[in-house]
Amino acid sequence: MRRMGGSQRRYSANSDDYKLLEEVGCGASATVYRAMYLPSNEVVAVKCLDVDRCNSNLDEIRREAQTMSLIDHPNVVRAYCSFVVDYNLWVIMPFMSEGSCLHLMKIAYPDGFEEPAIGSILKETLKALDYLHRQGHIHRDVKAGNILLDYNGSVKLADFGVSACMFDAGDRQRSRNTFVGTPCWMAPEVLQPGSGYNSKADMWSFGITALELAHGHAPFSKYPPIKVLLMTIQNAPPGLDYGRDKKFSKSFKEMVAMCLVKDQTKRPTAEKLLKHSFFKHAKPPELSVKKLFSGLPPLWNRVKDFQLKDAAQLAQKKMPSAEQEAISQSEYQRGVSAWNFDIEDLKAQASLVHDDDDIHKCKGDYERMKSSLGQKASAYCKSSLGKLNLNREVSQAEFGGPRNVDLLQFDCLNGKGKNPECDIVEAGCQEMVGLRGNGSSIDIMASTSEKDVLLTRAKTVKPRQTQSGPLTPGAVLNHSSSERARNSERFENEILPANEKVCQVRKAPIFSGPLMLPNRASANGLSAPIKSSGGFRDSLDDKSKANLVQIKGRFSVTSENLDLVKPINHTAKDLTNGSMPTSILMTHLQNLFQQTSLQQDFITNLFNSLQPSEFVDATQNGKLPLPHCTESNGNVQTAASERERLLLGKISELISRMMNLTNELTTEKLKYDQVSFSQGFIYLHLWLFVASTLYFMVVLCLAKMLSKIKR
Ligand SMILES: Nc1ncnc2c1ncn2[C@@H]1O[C@H](COP(=O)(O)OP(=O)(O)OP(=O)(O)O)[C@@H](O)[C@H]1O
């Protein structure tokens, strides 16, 4: 394989000169191929950018791509040339045969690299940043997924000026309500509109990337973007733990801590950081990096394997939500990496987060933070409230109206037993969400379907916006209130009607996944297409769907269905107010019928089991009422008359019970008539029939017994 080296090399702008070979990566807006440049038989990488997925005008993209081709540094992946093919922009780049650090970690180093390799990778990356910052650029997407490795161990920072979406001019960027970057890697000042940011934002991302390389994932990566956002703003900065990360040197920990300072003015510049002892002792990448991929299959095979694995996981889409959650979590483990990160998306995402476990986790994290930081932490949280109010301001501007009070039902962080400090986080979360509306979880679930989710995604996907291009040294990019007002106007005019937005939120799946997943799930080309993550209800027919609610990942039947199987325990009030559904009345009547039949059987059995002597004993003991006697002729006659009396007493008791039953039935009939005349008519007859049958049977029994006694 011949390598692309010299920056002077010329490449044609004719797509026919490039033969696309294997896919080696897929991002939010582009697919990257290993390709052959036919005129010279050289291997190159072709990044095919889908312009539809970017909000940029093609001319602007091209102009910026040309500017980017001027970037020339051994640690920055440069664009050789770019041209338009159909509605795609092709960017020709050097092929980095070992792919990204993220990809390598996912394939072979799930727990991160060893310190020497990290040191080398970070040093090369820092050189790239130093160069870019000197040129007046902010990269704004520094992460392991954008650090590419070549066969000889060389390290290059990619995705600067390569993505068309990176080329938005400042004005255009500022007119959008879109954050730029990847939530986990984004500096607090980038996440807080109005605070302004500069090249120091890259230094924060650099620190996060250091943690990512050390652990195999970025801090907070398992959380949904909204939570990442809040944690970044509110929590103490992440860092290397002195206990858990024992294997790492003190200087590494120190270097990370220097980058992850919330106050951007206190972060070192790339130039200064390069002088840190950690980098002074870093080994050349040929020694420490090259060995990382020895023995691994070629990149394209790794990518294919990974995609197949991912596709297999996603094929289990109709699995119970617990497993879905696990997949969702694994999406986060890869890094909350899709970077179409705007407030609208955040709100939609946030409204879906309602797992109590998350609440507890979040609270747990908060508690841990609080206990470790004590007074300082809570003071910080309190002071952050003001900052969060800024978000409210933005949200209000964007949505042009008062915030919905129902937001307070937002489940993400609204644990029941609140503590005041955590309320601050919760409040912030609620501030940011804004769009929950009146939708209960039932609403959400009832309208979720795969198609809906796809539609929702299709509608809400807005490509990444970046602010690129020359930057005056020291310039600070601000989101002023007038900009926010413009955003509001633009949002209202350009995006979707509010109702539709609410709909979208409700239709989205209940569990969270990476924000704005592209068709290919991972923003780093590591996954197969994700169509929807909301498919877990698909196997249910529509009718049953309507009666299902999901409670913490489990399905349950609504009371509508349960009524018929519940023991009947309606009050007289329920029955008489005419509001009782026919089905319930029917069940009630059936029960009464059963009871009556049982009583009838019982009476018959009782009569049959009674011996004449028992009647006498019972009468003598006063257990049975004495019926009135009209005859008294001798002993037999006396006995007979006594039995008669007994029987008559029993008959009168039965008759009174019968009367009661009949009365009850009549009452039921009247009530029932209120509900349905025709059905009531039938059941009246039914019950009259039952009552009369019962009556006749009793009389028959009695007559039979009387005749027995007389005999
Ligand atoms: N020049 C290259 N050589 C080899 N692989 C590359 C090259 N450029 C990109 N890739 C691979 O393709 C993946 C996606 O590329 P890239 O990051 O540029 O796309 P994207 O759409 O900008 O995505 P994202 O910004 O989410 O990372 C990278 O993570 C990397 O694995």
Side-chain angles (χ1 to χ4, degrees), residues 132-145:
L132 293 173
H133 293 171
R134 281 168 192 270
Q135 299 287 312
H137 294 286
I138 313 172
H139 186 287
R140 303 209 300 171
D141 208 9
V142 180
K143 58 182 184 184

Side-chain angles (χ1 to χ4, degrees), residues 24-30 32 45 47 77 93-97 99-100 103 141 143 145-146 148 159 163 299 337 339 464 523-525:
V24 291
C26 183
S29 55
V32 180
K47 182 166 177 165
V77 179
M93 305 178 284
F95 177 63
M96 299 293 285
S97 64
S100 70
H103 181 232
D141 208 9
K143 58 182 184 184
N146 282 334
L148 302 185
D159 222 8
S163 161
L299 176 64
S337 177
W339 29 244
R464 174 176 61 165
N524 289 290

Side-chain angles (χ1 to χ4, degrees), residues 1-5 11 21-25 32-37 42-47 76-80 91-100 103 148-152 154 156 158 297-303:
M1 186 194 302
R2 286 177 67 190
R3 271 172 291 129
M4 314 302 298
Y11 295 87
L21 302 169
E22 308 86 6
E23 181 184 317
V24 291
V32 180
Y33 297 90
R34 186 173 81 101
M36 187 66 78
Y37 179 54
E42 286 176 271
V43 173
V44 290
V46 176
K47 182 166 177 165
V76 180
V77 179
R78 64 175 294 237
Y80 290 141
V91 181
I92 314 299
M93 305 178 284
F95 177 63
M96 299 293 285
S97 64
E98 300 303 328
S100 70
H103 181 232
L148 302 185
L149 307 171
D150 208 353
Y151 73 101
N152 58 359
S154 67
K156 289 179 198 272
L299 176 64
W300 49 95
N301 285 347
R302 287 183 242 159
V303 168

Side-chain angles (χ1 to χ4, degrees), residues 115-120 122-123 206 210 248-256 273-283:
E115 188 169 322
I118 298 173
S120 306
L122 286 178
K123 185 172 182 177
F206 180 79
F248 297 119
S249 69
K250 198 172 161 235
S251 71
F252 183 22
K253 289 172 186 161
E254 234 177 55
M255 186 280 292
V256 171
L273 197 63
L274 270 170
K275 296 187 180 114
H276 192 275
S277 61
F278 178 66
F279 294 116
K280 273 192 187 153
H281 301 119
K283 288 183 180 164

